[in-house]
Amino acid sequence: MPAFSVSLSRLRKLSGSVNPKDRILTREAAVKRERYGNLTCRGADVTIRRIMADPKTASASETSKISLEQVRHVARLARLELDADDEQSLQANLSEILTYIDKLNELDTTNIAPTAQVGEAGTPMRDDVVTNAPAPDEMLANAPERAGNFFKVPKIIEG
Amino acid sequence: MTELNRLTITEARDLLRKREISARELTRACLEQIKLVDPKLNAFITVCAREAHEQADAADARLAAGDAPALCGIPLAIKDIYATRGVRTTCASRILENFVPPYDATVIAKLRANGAVFVGKANMDEFAMGSSTENSAFGPTRNPHNVERVAGGSSGGSAAAVAADECLGSLGTDTGGSIREPASFCGVVGIKPTYSRVSRYGVIAYASSLDQVGPFAKTVRDAAIILRDLAGADPRDSTCSARPVPDYEAALTGDVKGLRVGVPKEFFVSGIEPEVEQAVRAALKSYEAMGARMVEISLPHTSYAVAAYYIVATAEASANLARYDGIRYGLRVDGDNNIELYNRTRARGFGAEVKRRIMLGSFVLSAGYYDAYYLKGQKVRTLIRRDFERAFESCDIIATPVAPTTAFALGEKVSDPLQMYLSDIFTISVNLAGLPGISVPCGFDPQGLPIGLQLIGPPFGEEAILRAGDAFERTGAVKRRAAIL
């Protein structure tokens, strides 16, 4: 994570040596110092890290769970235009989160049924009847572009 | 009488019915408070002064005619995730910055029919994705108890508005803790009802199998009054339960004798701020003093809840947010063809956290990863549900902290998404299991920041957690503190 090393080195210059054990705390402190100028450490952040600590999480930055190619592929699926910076930071964020998610593999779920819905209503049916009157002006009021009673879109078919 | 905006709903309801105060002056007091404090807090995206005065006058006419439902004339704030006919509804996103819905959400229509007054649309994390209201395209909401601290999220505006007496109650939504965590951080009451208890029609969708509507209020009784108006079947939401809605206020007997309070051992391991743990333990002691019995329980899959949540919720979000394409409503950024138009509109319209979750959700659903991530997440969800089912065999309600810390500083976690996600470790499993949960103020840390007690009930156990929350409130152990502004 490039942003992180910049802050850390800046902090080193400011405060002399840094104990590697305090790396996590220091990183947050560095972010805060950059943004707000005053350094306040909140012990809870460190302790939450400890409680949720997973040996795999610690190495997240070293091994990437998702390649830049995959990031670009998923962005195409999700219809999101990304610039090079977005791609880099998403790769780093998603890798860290996916590494954390890997802790689920500690659980054997071979014979466990998946839960998709927790409601009790099931899938009720209703009659297919029209309940509202046509209101084209109301429905088109939020359209970015309209032509008559239609939503206007860029030309799709060539020729 | 001065400072009408400081009244509780219960107090205001009685004064309105006796015609000792009018809905108009009550509404004016709230709007004046908004004018005074909201430049510091940013709890509102849109203030609806004109509409609120009209609603207040209509409410006064009903009150004068003796036709006064509980919330008639009561000023409420509405999270900007609810479709409100004719009033801009942004979901705190650039992509919906100018969206004016042509219809009301079911709960909005219900509140309107009962004469409630809407003072404004409350700030939130964009598309309800966040735990601090720092992801709003309209700037963060600040905590009324310390403006250098976050209000919590995603319903941070709704919580802060109640804490700062800008309204008497408010609506939020809760997908992973988005009502309970800001309630805890701001020192107000917040309920996430059982999944399916309240209609989601007209609530802009984030993760449909987890999203639930709920109120914020100054007291448990006030929250019970609002919840009664919200709950109930809706033909427009096929997941909505047809169970009859109890009179939640009538459930507040103050009696918790013999109540079995489950205390999960996994929630009290090291990692909680000591002041938070002390306050929650003190609350448990006062339950014992009132005749309740503590039962140690185990929820062994607690530490997997956040991971399972970020699979299930983001997968559902990636599908739900596919509708924002710049064609029928919302922002449009032009392109040479429609695909380019979609790509650019979504790139420009969505903020960083929303993009992150759409990307994660699209990834866990994509070919080759579905079984390893999405299916795995759904299976772990089953394990988490079973933990609760087993626990409720030996207890009536479960008590835990709402969050491991009090309100953190603005900017403290924005650069670290995973840290931000972990602030919901105690609330997320409740959404995965579809259970009701309430946050009740149970103390303050030495810096004066509020601490919340979470009470979790079995499915449709709203009455039990409301009764227990109200009983604790009656002990007077925690006095409501005015916000420091």
Side-chain angles (χ1 to χ4, degrees), chain B residues 260-440:
Chain B
R260 297 171 303 165
V261 180
V263 183
K265 57 181 183 197
E266 290 83 2
F267 285 52
F268 286 95
V269 287
S270 68
I272 308 174
E273 264 181 356
E275 303 83 33
V276 172
E277 180 166 355
Q278 276 162 25
V280 171
R281 293 228 180 259
L284 298 180
K285 280 260 178 298
S286 51
Y287 278 114
E288 273 182 315
M290 287 186 280
R293 195 152 56 79
M294 299 301 125
V295 182
E296 190 188 79
I297 57 159
S298 175
L299 299 168
H301 296 98
T302 296
S303 67
Y304 300 97
V306 174
Y309 174 86
Y310 277 93
I311 293 173
V312 171
T314 61
E316 293 183 15
S318 72
N320 274 328
L321 272 64
R323 73 189 69 179
Y324 303 102
D325 57 7
I327 301 299
R328 290 148 301 156
Y329 50 81
L331 178 76
R332 174 185 290 191
V333 181
D334 281 322
D336 286 341
N337 55 58
N338 60 328
I339 301 291
E340 207 171 85
L341 182 152
Y342 303 150
N343 290 347
R344 289 182 181 171
T345 297
R346 292 163 63 80
R348 194 79 62 79
F350 291 136
E353 180 60 26
V354 174
K355 285 180 194 166
R356 204 176 284 137
R357 294 197 196 189
I358 289 174
M359 288 288 290
L360 182 59
S362 303
F363 176 74
V364 300
L365 290 174
S366 65
Y369 297 94
Y370 183 93
D371 284 3
Y373 289 105
Y374 187 58
L375 196 62
K376 184 82 185 180
Q378 288 189 314
K379 287 178 165 196
V380 174
R381 187 175 184 182
T382 303
L383 296 175
I384 289 164
R385 286 182 75 183
R386 285 186 190 165
D387 278 359
F388 281 106
E389 281 167 14
R390 209 160 295 141
F392 280 119
E393 285 168 11
S394 63
C395 65
D396 303 308
I397 63 167
I398 294 171
T400 78
V402 175
T405 69
T406 52
F408 45 88
L410 272 101
E412 192 173 320
K413 297 185 184 185
V414 277
S415 59
D416 191 341
L418 190 55
Q419 263 311 301
M420 188 73 92
Y421 299 173
L422 292 177
S423 48
D424 294 327
I425 49 175
F426 298 146
T427 49
I428 268 178
S429 53
V430 177
N431 297 75
L432 289 168
L435 304 174
I438 187 170
S439 174
V440 180

Side-chain angles (χ1 to χ4, degrees), chain A residues 36 42 45 49 70 78-79 93 103-104 106-107 109 112-113 115 117 120 138 142 144-145 152, chain B residues 85 100 149 195 241 243 303-304 327 332 343 346 356 369 376 378-379 382 410 412 416 419:
Chain A
Y36 297 98
R42 303 255 296 154
D45 286 346
R49 282 263 182 197
Q70 283 175 301
R79 299 275 184 248
N93 291 159
K103 80 191 256 97
L104 297 184
E106 294 164 12
L107 298 171
T109 52
I112 306 294
T115 295
Q117 209 22 286
E120 55 174 19
E138 230 178 16
N142 283 291
E145 238 186 306
K152 202 174 166 190
Chain B
R85 188 185 173 98
V100 180
R149 303 282 174 154
Y195 182 83
S241 170
R243 287 182 188 229
S303 67
Y304 300 97
I327 301 299
R332 174 185 290 191
N343 290 347
R346 292 163 63 80
R356 204 176 284 137
Y369 297 94
K376 184 82 185 180
Q378 288 189 314
K379 287 178 165 196
T382 303
L410 272 101
E412 192 173 320
D416 191 341
Q419 263 311 301

Side-chain angles (χ1 to χ4, degrees), chain B residues 15-26:
Chain B
L15 292 169
L16 285 166
R17 282 181 177 165
K18 287 189 226 149
R19 303 308 291 146
E20 288 177 24
I21 62 169
S22 69
R24 172 164 266 268
E25 56 192 344
L26 182 59

Side-chain angles (χ1 to χ4, degrees), chain A residues 89-150:
Chain A
S89 65
L90 278 166
Q91 186 194 18
N93 291 159
L94 295 183
S95 287
E96 192 187 7
I97 296 163
L98 289 169
T99 304
Y100 176 73
I101 284 174
D102 270 353
K103 80 191 256 97
L104 297 184
N105 294 329
E106 294 164 12
L107 298 171
D108 179 6
T109 52
T110 320
N111 295 313
I112 306 294
T115 295
Q117 209 22 286
V118 290
E120 55 174 19
T123 312
M125 304 293 276
R126 62 164 172 79
D127 293 335
D128 187 15
V129 288
V130 176
T131 55
N132 57 328
D137 280 334
E138 230 178 16
M139 293 307 125
L140 283 157
N142 283 291
E145 238 186 306
R146 72 182 273 189
N149 275 355
F150 299 95

Side-chain angles (χ1 to χ4, degrees), chain B residues 38-50:
Chain B
D38 216 57
K40 286 178 233 164
L41 294 180
N42 198 29
F44 286 91
I45 291 176
T46 306
V47 178
C48 307
R50 185 179 50 81

Side-chain angles (χ1 to χ4, degrees), chain B residues 43-216:
Chain B
F44 286 91
I45 291 176
T46 306
V47 178
C48 307
R50 185 179 50 81
E51 294 91 340
H53 279 305
E54 285 169 12
Q55 287 175 309
D57 288 345
D60 277 328
R62 283 179 76 171
L63 285 154
D67 160 37
L71 292 176
C72 191
I74 302 292
L76 303 176
I78 306 297
K79 186 178 185 179
D80 209 16
I81 198 168
Y82 291 89
T84 44
R85 188 185 173 98
V87 173
R88 180 174 81 132
T89 299
T90 69
C91 225
S93 181
R94 291 284 167 224
I95 215 159
L96 289 176
E97 191 169 1
N98 299 306
F99 175 63
V100 180
Y103 71 105
D104 274 332
T106 293
V107 290
I108 297 298
K110 282 184 171 185
L111 291 174
R112 256 192 228 288
N114 284 341
V117 173
F118 306 141
V119 290
K121 303 295 294 287
N123 202 1
M124 54 184 283
D125 283 300
E126 184 180 2
F127 285 102
M129 298 179 184
S131 311
S132 68
T133 313
E134 290 170 292
N135 295 333
S136 169
F138 300 89
T141 295
R142 288 163 182 273
N143 192 310
H145 292 275
N146 179 342
V147 292
E148 300 306 316
R149 303 282 174 154
V150 300
S154 68
S155 311
S158 303
V162 173
D165 293 306
E166 294 175 289
C167 54
L168 274 62
S170 65
L171 292 195
T173 57
D174 191 317
T175 305
S178 282
I179 289 175
R180 290 158 288 157
E181 188 238 25
S184 170
F185 282 9
C186 292
V188 297
V189 175
I191 310 173
K192 179 207 104 68
T194 308
Y195 182 83
S196 81
R197 180 69 287 186
V198 182
S199 166
R200 290 176 296 111
Y201 175 77
V203 183
I204 295 172
Y206 159 23
S208 304
S209 79
L210 302 163
D211 295 343
Q212 191 54 207
V213 164
F216 289 92

